[in-house]
């Protein structure tokens, strides 16, 4: 089977790494790919949002399956376009992906169908949003979100009214996220640990993957601005059987029922961003694809053939397969460019020890490097993004996995590299 994976980050590297293990994967392409992906797949110089060029390449290369990684091409209707062209695609159609590309739409649906989430208001005018904030106590915290997609950074958690007002001005008036912030969602501030559950679904059946925990804040101690993710681990110890049962009864099954009731076919990955509050589990957000860096810890735990699961999802027979998972833990630490998620420089040469080979089978205890922001330049591997690499390791327990991941990151280097030293509660000296 010829496969085209769309995207060029750590998530796509992990997806390709897993797909390459399938005996049915004949040839794998990636558009646009990166310096690490190039060792597993043929990278083609096509942007992830260039729908016409992706379709043209898929036809000319006799691609049998398109796997869509990022959110933007889903929001632009790449899955719809593939289906119209007679090409199998893994990823929800545009109407289903709206759960991610419009936060106000998702919140309204959750309210309509009684799915637990934070209280909220939607604003299209900055003055109205600021007036609503001003009516609260000065020390009231808020969460300010862009309605549209913002590369995983359109969420500002504020400590008080002044910070919330400043966030609204930055998003709606200064347009730091462009048109994505033309409408905002002003949310109630919730407290509690966050969890991510990715799930395969064919619109009829939903099969959750092991629960992971992502670290969004830029600096140790959960300080600094939100990023696309500075590290993750799985499975999460706070996701007990009781919590899983609550999520199934109040969130997973109702969400699938919600989409069916709205007449929308959802096939692909459904990402549940959850918070365990004193009042129970609540949905923080939906995403319509694999999360990043969560994918870099969840897929290494998958024992089953990912391609077989994808086929079952597309053919709406997910009830006929049962994904198998490793019994251990996985941890990932992100090596980022200095300054990220703000301005940063690129083009620095990257050094990676030869032992950190992404082809190492994780069940052999290997430490893997998934590339996110790298490119080949003049025979050298150089940085090309804010999140540069993800160092992932497995272990029999969470402590072992974290120790191996942190041991691995000591063998990675580039100028101005930084990383959090407290992923999963680990403390690196």
């Amino acid at each position: 089977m010829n496969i085209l994976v769309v995207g060029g980050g750590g998530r796509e590297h992990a997806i390709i790494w897993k797909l390459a293990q399938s005996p049915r994967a004949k040839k794998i392409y990636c558009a646009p790919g990166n310096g690490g992906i190039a060792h597993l797949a043929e990278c083609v110089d096509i942007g992830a949002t260039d729908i016409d060029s992706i379709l043209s390449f898929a036809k000319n290369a006799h691609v049998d399956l398109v796997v869509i990684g990022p959110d933007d091409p889903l929001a632009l209707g790449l899955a719809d376009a593939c289906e119209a062209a007679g090409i199998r695609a893994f990823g929800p159609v545009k109407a289903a992906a709206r759960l991610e590309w419009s936060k106000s739409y998702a919140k309204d649906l959750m309210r309509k169908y009684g799915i637990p989430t934070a209280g909220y208001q939607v604003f299209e005018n900055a003055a109205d949003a600021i007036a609503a904030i001003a009516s609260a106590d000065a020390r009231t915290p808020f969460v300010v979100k862009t309605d549209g997609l913002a590369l995983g950074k359109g969420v500002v958690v504020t400590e008080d009214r002044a910070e919330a007002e400043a966030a609204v001005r930055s998003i709606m008036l200064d347009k730091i996220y462009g048109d994505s912030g033309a409408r905002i969602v002003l949310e109630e501030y919730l407290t509690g640990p966050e969890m991510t559950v990715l799930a395969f679904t064919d619109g009829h059946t939903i099969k959750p993957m092991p629960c992971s925990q992502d670290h969004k804040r830029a600096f140790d101690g959960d300080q600094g601005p939100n990023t696309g993710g500075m590290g993750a681990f799985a499975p999460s110890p706070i996701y007990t059987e009781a919590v899983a049962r609550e999520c199934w009864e109040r969130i997973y099954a109702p969400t699938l029922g919600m989409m069916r009731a709205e007449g929308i076919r959802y096939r692909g990955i459904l990402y549940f961003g959850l918070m365990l509050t004193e009042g129970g589990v609540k949905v923080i957000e939906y995403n319509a694809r694999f999360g990043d860096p969560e994918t870099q810890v969840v897929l290494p735990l998958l024992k089953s053939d990912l391609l077989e699961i994808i086929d079952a999802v597309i053919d709406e027979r997910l009830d006929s397969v049962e994904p198998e998972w490793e019994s251990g833990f996985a941890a990932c630490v992100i090596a980022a460019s200095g300054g990220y998620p703000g301005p940063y420089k690129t083009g620095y040469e990257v050094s990676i020890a030869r032992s950190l080979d992404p082809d190492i089978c994780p069940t052999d205890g290997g430490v893997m490097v998934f590339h996110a922001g790298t490119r080949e330049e003049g025979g050298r591997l150089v940085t090309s993004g804010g999140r540069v690499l993800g160092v992932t390791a497995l272990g029999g327990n969470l402590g072992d996995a974290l120790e191996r991941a942190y041991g691995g990151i000591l063998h990675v280097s580039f100028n101005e590299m930084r990383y959090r030293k407290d992923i999963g509660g680990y403390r690196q000296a």
Side-chain angles (χ1 to χ4, degrees), residues 148-282:
L149 303 175
L151 299 175
K153 293 179 283 189
V155 177
V156 183
V157 180
T158 67
E159 300 291 335
D160 53 37
R161 193 174 67 193
E163 284 188 10
E165 291 175 356
V168 169
R169 291 189 179 92
S170 294
I171 293 171
M172 302 193 79
L173 300 179
D174 298 338
K175 299 184 183 299
I176 61 172
Y177 300 117
D179 291 340
S180 293
R183 178 189 294 117
I184 66 163
V185 176
L186 185 65
E187 276 193 356
E188 168 194 12
Y189 178 88
L190 299 178
T191 58
E194 290 191 41
M195 310 172 289
T196 298
V197 174
L198 303 168
F200 297 107
T201 181
D202 62 1
H204 308 286
T205 301
I206 187 165
K207 300 214 167 177
M209 305 180 209
C211 177
S212 60
Q213 284 186 252
D214 180 17
H215 296 254
K216 289 290 188 187
R217 294 297 188 101
F219 308 121
D220 289 1
D222 287 330
Q223 299 298 307
N226 271 355
T227 70
M230 294 298 293
F233 62 90
S236 168
I238 65 173
Y239 190 73
T240 62
E241 289 186 11
V243 170
R245 185 166 55 251
E246 178 184 351
C247 289
W248 180 269
E249 295 173 353
R250 302 186 65 206
I251 296 171
Y252 306 155
T255 295
L256 206 56
M258 171 182 82
M259 299 308 287
R260 287 200 300 267
E262 291 293 310
I264 298 172
R265 181 189 61 189
Y266 197 112
R267 296 185 303 180
I269 299 295
L270 191 47
Y271 170 121
F272 297 90
L274 307 169
M275 181 175 283
L276 182 55
T277 73
E278 289 186 356
V281 182
K282 296 191 178 184

Side-chain angles (χ1 to χ4, degrees), residues 3 15 40 42-43 48 68 74 85 104 137 164 195 197 203 252 255 257-258 285 338 341 350 392 396 416-417 424:
I3 304 168
I15 291 170
L40 292 173
E42 180 178 329
C43 295
I68 306 165
L74 291 170
S104 62
D137 183 88
M195 310 172 289
V197 174
Y252 306 155
T255 295
M258 171 182 82
E285 64 175 349
V350 179
T392 295
E416 298 184 10
M417 169 178 144

Side-chain angles (χ1 to χ4, degrees), residues 292 314 335 344:
D292 193 348
I314 294 173
Y344 54 85

Side-chain angles (χ1 to χ4, degrees), residues 6-8 31-32 46-51 54 70 72-73 76 78:
V6 176
I46 300 174
T49 57
D50 189 346
I51 307 300
I54 290 171
D72 285 336
L76 292 171
L78 178 55

Side-chain angles (χ1 to χ4, degrees), residues 21 82 131 175 225:
Q21 296 172 19
C82 287
K175 299 184 183 299

